[in-house]
Amino acid sequence: MPETEHQAEIAEYARKIAGDAPTRFDAAVALQNHLRSGAGFTYNPDADYRGSSDTVWDFLQDKEGYCTQYALSMMVMARSLDIPARIGIGWLPGRPDGNNGYRVTGQDSHAWPEIYFPTVGWVRFEPTPQVQTGPLPAYANPSVGSAPSASPTAPRANEVPTQQPTRNPAQSGPAATAGGSSGNDVSDQTLPGWAWVVAVILALGVLGGAAWLLLRRRAEVEVLDPERAWSRVLALLAEQDVRLGPSITLRRAPAFIADEVRTRTGTPLPDDVAERLTALADAAEEERYARSSTPPTPEELEELTTTITTDLTQALTSKP
């Protein structure tokens, strides 16, 4: 760990949260849950720690940040407890695009901490609040865990995570039944009849609500945004056998398309078409990467996209 002004204070902070956890896994869950839903931390994509000499300490004090601060802070605190930790960088799943695929944009970029467990490897945890990341992984969710084991837990160095986390006995409900059985015993009591009736009614209500939402979503008209508008242009180009390779960025795309038109037809792409194409590519680029943007309205995008696709079709199908 790099030495910082608040290194010792961060280590003490971590010990107060997870220092008494019996296993490496329990310590990781404690750190995760403290950042994710405890102590007043707030997800704020506009938080700025660029001038900080100790980002982790300032974040633990200010309690506002986005995935980078949450992941970095959990990694640093885990390492201060002698737990191997690292940061993974990638993407959230995105949103369904309605065509059996997912739409992933720059807004879905994400960072998360990973903890190392012998014989298992690196395991992802999610301290960033649910407002950005969605539900926890099942194995890192205390509400899914089983009753605590009656046998002593192995030392941290030999600990291997299970699919379900263990609970702290002090935080669990009663561990014994009236007959004196331990928390690991399985009760042979069944639910009363009225409970089954309530469960069936609730299940039917959930299924009915899901069906209603599905029908409502299908009935909704797609609202055009710059990304969808740009996808329409790409689909039109693909029909004309013009495909932008993975190295063609949005900023380079208009010039690439203009070159394709010139190569195929022997005539340059009209300036007004090139300008409209550049305007749409710029809007899509801002939506993906800008901290904030003011995109054209859906009506403006509809008109712009229709004009571009019509002009490109005419330009690509005209004979040299």
Side-chain angles (χ1 to χ4, degrees), residues 10-23:
I10 293 172
E12 179 61 24
Y13 189 105
R15 282 192 293 270
K16 288 181 179 179
I17 299 169
D20 295 331
T23 69

Side-chain angles (χ1 to χ4, degrees), residues 151-219:
S151 60
T153 309
R156 284 185 182 172
N158 300 321
E159 203 262 350
V160 178
T162 59
Q163 282 300 105
Q164 294 183 331
T166 59
R167 291 182 183 148
N168 186 331
Q171 298 174 342
S172 300
T177 64
S181 61
S182 69
N184 293 323
D185 294 337
V186 178
S187 172
D188 59 358
Q189 294 180 351
T190 60
L191 290 175
W194 64 266
W196 287 109
V197 173
V198 172
V200 170
I201 292 174
L202 288 175
L204 291 175
V206 170
L207 290 174
W212 178 80
L213 286 174
L214 181 61
L215 291 173
R216 179 181 176 182
R217 287 182 180 178
R218 288 182 176 178

Side-chain angles (χ1 to χ4, degrees), residues 91-108 222-229 231 284 287-288:
W91 309 88
L92 294 169
R95 293 167 294 283
D97 62 3
N99 296 313
N100 296 322
Y102 283 81
R103 176 173 173 260
V104 180
T105 70
Q107 296 176 355
D108 296 305
E222 180 184 66
V223 177
L224 198 63
D225 60 17
E227 193 70 40
R228 291 190 177 96
S231 296
E287 182 185 44
R288 290 185 188 179

Side-chain angles (χ1 to χ4, degrees), residues 237-261:
L237 291 171
E239 292 177 0
Q240 302 297 326
D241 202 26
V242 176
R243 292 177 173 82
L244 280 63
S247 64
I248 305 299
T249 63
L250 281 167
R251 193 163 295 185
R252 292 181 53 201
F256 176 86
I257 295 169
D259 288 342
E260 283 291 311
V261 172

Side-chain angles (χ1 to χ4, degrees), residues 9-312:
E9 293 164 286
I10 293 172
E12 179 61 24
Y13 189 105
R15 282 192 293 270
K16 288 181 179 179
I17 299 169
D20 295 331
T23 69
R24 178 181 297 180
F25 181 74
D26 292 326
V29 170
L31 293 174
Q32 167 194 265
N33 293 346
H34 178 79
L35 295 171
R36 183 179 175 92
S37 58
F41 285 90
T42 303
Y43 182 81
N44 180 6
D46 296 322
D48 189 352
Y49 291 94
R50 285 176 295 181
S52 171
S53 60
D54 194 328
T55 300
V56 172
W57 179 250
D58 288 344
F59 169 67
L60 294 176
Q61 301 306 303
D62 296 345
K63 301 182 185 299
E64 287 192 0
Y66 47 95
C67 60
T68 302
Q69 285 80 45
Y70 283 93
L72 177 63
S73 297
M74 181 167 171
M75 184 196 76
V76 169
M77 288 194 291
R79 288 186 178 184
S80 75
L81 298 173
D82 295 325
I83 298 175
R86 70 181 185 183
I87 291 180
I89 297 176
W91 309 88
L92 294 169
R95 293 167 294 283
D97 62 3
N99 296 313
N100 296 322
Y102 283 81
R103 176 173 173 260
V104 180
T105 70
Q107 296 176 355
D108 296 305
S109 59
H110 188 49
W112 61 89
E114 296 181 349
I115 303 296
Y116 184 79
F117 298 91
T119 75
V120 173
W122 293 98
V123 177
R124 176 176 69 94
F125 287 82
E126 192 52 83
T128 303
Q130 181 168 339
V131 64
Q132 173 67 7
T133 61
L136 283 169
Y139 56 81
N141 188 347
S143 65
V144 184
S146 59
S149 173
S151 60
T153 309
R156 284 185 182 172
N158 300 321
E159 203 262 350
V160 178
T162 59
Q163 282 300 105
Q164 294 183 331
T166 59
R167 291 182 183 148
N168 186 331
Q171 298 174 342
S172 300
T177 64
S181 61
S182 69
N184 293 323
D185 294 337
V186 178
S187 172
D188 59 358
Q189 294 180 351
T190 60
L191 290 175
W194 64 266
W196 287 109
V197 173
V198 172
V200 170
I201 292 174
L202 288 175
L204 291 175
V206 170
L207 290 174
W212 178 80
L213 286 174
L214 181 61
L215 291 173
R216 179 181 176 182
R217 287 182 180 178
R218 288 182 176 178
E220 289 178 350
V221 178
E222 180 184 66
V223 177
L224 198 63
D225 60 17
E227 193 70 40
R228 291 190 177 96
W230 183 250
S231 296
R232 289 188 185 180
V233 173
L234 295 182
L236 177 278
L237 291 171
E239 292 177 0
Q240 302 297 326
D241 202 26
V242 176
R243 292 177 173 82
L244 280 63
S247 64
I248 305 299
T249 63
L250 281 167
R251 193 163 295 185
R252 292 181 53 201
F256 176 86
I257 295 169
D259 288 342
E260 283 291 311
V261 172
R262 184 183 297 107
T263 300
R264 292 192 178 200
T265 65
T267 57
L269 187 68
D271 290 341
D272 58 335
V273 181
E275 289 176 1
R276 284 191 285 268
L277 192 61
T278 299
L280 181 57
D282 288 346
E285 183 183 56
E286 287 186 5
E287 182 185 44
R288 290 185 188 179
Y289 306 118
R291 185 179 294 274
S292 61
S293 63
T294 304
T297 65
E299 292 75 18
E300 293 171 337
L301 286 170
E302 188 69 48
E303 180 181 357
L304 181 61
T305 306
T306 301
T307 303
I308 290 173
T309 53
T310 301
D311 291 343
L312 284 178

